[in-house]
Amino acid sequence: MGRADARRAQGREARRAKGGGIRRLFTWRKIVGTFFGLCLLGMGALAALYMYVDVPEANAQAEKQSNVYKYSDGTLLARSNSDVNREIVDLGVVPESVQHAFVAAENKSFYRDQGVDLKGTVRGLFNTLSGKGKQGGSTITQQYVKNYYLTQDRTVTRKLKELVISLKVDQHTEKDDILAGYLNTVYYGRGASGIQAAAQAYYGVDAKDLDTSQGAYLAALLQAPSQYDWANATPTGKKLVKERWAYTLDNMVGEGWLDKAERDRMTFPVPKSPKAAPGMEGQTGYLVEAANDEMKRQGVTEEMLDAGGWTITLNIDKKRQKQLEKSVDRQLENQLDRKNNKVDATVQAGATSVDPKTGRVVALYGGVGATEHWYNNATRQDYQPASTFKPLVLASALENESTTRNGDLIGLNTVYDGTSKRPVVGSDTPFAPQNEDDISYDSPTVQRAMDKSINSVFAQMVVDVTPAAVKKTALDMGVPDKNFPERPAITLGTMNASTWDMAGVYATLDNHGKKVTPTIVKSAEHRDRTMRPVDGVGGQAISRASADTVTKALTEVVDIGSGHEANTSAYDAAGKTGTSENNKAAWFAAYTPELTTVVALYGESPEEGGGQVSLTGTANSGRANGGGFPAKIWADYTLGALGGGSDAAFDLQGVERGETAVTETPSEEPTPSRTPSETPSEEPTPSETPSETPSEEPTPSETPSETPSGTPSGTPSTTKDPEDGGAEPPGERPGGDTPLGQ
């Protein structure tokens, strides 16, 4: 053997020795042992992880819901919690075929599996580690766990936690509960979280009304909500989502959840175009605020409302609400120059409209817009109702069967002394209100005094009934106990009240004396809580005879008195005007047999902190009394709200005419009478020494509507009344501004 051959032989021998060493190191026994060792280590690690990781509390975002507000007809008004559009519903609400569509699209084995897909999870982990994003499958249980308990972070730690928690959740939670949680937490695009919000966003229906085809689209959408939203999808996106929709339905057929013939008849359900969720602008914010306030009065706390999940249906009639907004625009806003007229910039309007048979608030006007003027003018209680209070003085007199100073039973024909500045008789507190424009009236009847809002008559009537009795009647009828002293000046409406309050009071008169409480919430539903709606109608606050007698008096106020701007042959109406001292507020409270509405204007300083200012000069029209803009808004709204008019007539029973005796000579010489102006209007409500002439003018015609046969009822005391105007004597100083008439 040569030297070369020897070297080759040595090389072969070395290679054989090396190969033998490797084979000895990697024997099948060692390989299998190593594999099982690694498996045991993995299982041990998984067991340790299983023991270590607990099922956490739900994350805050998963449980956060919006509150949904609807008009009385069920159409959407607004949603609160604008950062999350979710309304959690029970699984039983969702049609079974829609439930199956989601399972068919996302996890066919859902009802059979252990809650995890190991292959999909491993694939997801690999993709995460390799930077390929969130590709890879997850079961419905895993997706629910991710949405409800964890976050959307793409980390290995989160994926491992998802796996362990999913196993635990599947062991201890019913499949239906997992599916319900999944449907309510998953994101569908268009800002919609949960199936209820998605059904509204894509098809304008509630989840309970989805059909199988629509459910299959929503299920298909979950794979890529933005790409598959039909309104924004590219041609490729539309093609892909239609394919996934078909895939979902085919899987349903394969699982026995859908009949093949029915599947073949289905066509793709194109969703409607997206719409922005209604915000709180315009009147919406005022309506939502009023509903929330009512719910709080019924025991729903701020925390309960903030947690969301309420579906709140209001009593607001959508058509009447729009009509009220149009009427304010037509009869007021279009006449104002808010930018260039300093007085116009101070004008605030408020209104509340109520169904007198049920108490339902069917329309409400809170101001120029909730995002511009946050204070709700319909419910604010910082202004005086002025002479809209006078009908309650008469109601109390009738209810208590009160008599004049000379013993006459008070009714519509009872005669009083109409002398301006006449001091009241029988009161420890001096009060001598001035009538509007300081006009005196010769022995007017109560009916005539109501027509012209004669301050001196109602001042004496309060004393005859007693302020305490008048206050009790007013409280029984719904006037709030705010700045409400028991003094003669209350006849001028010197307490505080809102249009909401006074709408309830006048609706009580409209409802023949049965107490009406305005209520705006028709129903409030929540899966975990309850709220009992307000009962809008109670027992008799005053007798039917008393209520109907006041209504009779107020029909003439509209026919020929200070409320004549609301007079039309299209409907029967009864009402009263009111203008507070210095013209800081102007009211018109009136009703037909079917609808009660109160409209008010307030003078509010636009300066920081606000403050009450005079309305005089509004739209360059002089005094903005209750018979002006408020009455015109009322008439325009009522005509539209009643569909152009109504044949309904007041059914008045037991109208009390009262008693009259021989005219008694007044204890003081009346001030010289002036001839009332030809144009009817309002008389202001007085106060303690008003700084201006009363704001309303008397209605025409000096002749009383009914011929009195009796005498005035009393002798006076000294003050100035707003509505008809008047100065208040030193002894009577009610809190706040005193109204000037009408």
Side-chain angles (χ1 to χ4, degrees), residues 693-709:
T693 310
S695 54
E696 302 182 33
E697 303 171 291
T699 53
S701 147
E702 245 338 292
T703 309
S705 56
E706 296 180 336
T707 307
S709 58

Side-chain angles (χ1 to χ4, degrees), residues 520-656:
I520 196 170
V521 178
K522 181 178 181 180
S523 66
E525 300 173 355
H526 192 288
R527 63 199 301 266
D528 299 325
R529 302 180 178 93
T530 58
M531 190 210 84
R532 183 178 180 182
V534 174
D535 188 349
V537 178
Q540 290 290 148
I542 58 174
S543 68
R544 174 165 187 163
S546 296
D548 286 2
T549 300
V550 175
T551 296
K552 173 62 179 173
L554 297 183
T555 57
E556 194 163 299
V557 174
V558 174
D559 290 344
I560 63 170
S562 59
H564 72 284
E565 286 285 2
N567 185 21
T568 171
S569 59
Y571 47 71
D572 268 2
K576 183 72 183 75
T577 53
T579 308
S580 68
E581 183 187 22
N582 296 334
N583 202 197
K584 292 177 180 178
W587 297 67
F588 189 62
Y591 50 96
T592 72
E594 301 158 287
L595 195 61
T596 302
T597 306
V598 177
V599 181
L601 296 192
Y602 307 119
E604 178 189 271
S605 172
E607 301 299 324
E608 185 70 29
Q612 299 184 9
V613 297
S614 176
L615 290 165
T616 300
T618 295
N620 298 313
S621 62
R623 289 179 301 195
N625 56 47
F629 292 111
K632 291 175 181 178
I633 292 169
W634 185 95
D636 190 275
Y637 162 70
T638 301
L639 190 64
L642 295 178
S646 172
D647 294 330
F650 289 118
D651 177 19
L652 305 181
Q653 298 178 14
V655 173
E656 299 175 20

Side-chain angles (χ1 to χ4, degrees), residues 53-88:
V53 176
D54 292 324
V55 177
E57 295 293 325
N59 65 62
Q61 192 68 13
E63 291 192 322
K64 193 170 186 180
Q65 302 180 66
S66 54
N67 291 324
V68 178
Y69 298 83
K70 298 181 178 182
Y71 288 104
S72 60
D73 64 0
T75 56
L76 182 65
L77 169 64
R79 288 192 188 93
S80 67
N81 292 345
S82 57
D83 57 328
V84 57
N85 177 14
R86 177 187 287 117
E87 182 185 351
I88 295 175

Side-chain angles (χ1 to χ4, degrees), residues 499-521:
T499 65
W500 180 289
D501 299 323
M502 297 308 289
V505 170
Y506 274 68
T508 298
L509 292 172
D510 199 352
N511 199 29
H512 307 296
K514 292 189 77 172
K515 174 69 179 295
V516 175
T517 300
T519 174
I520 196 170
V521 178

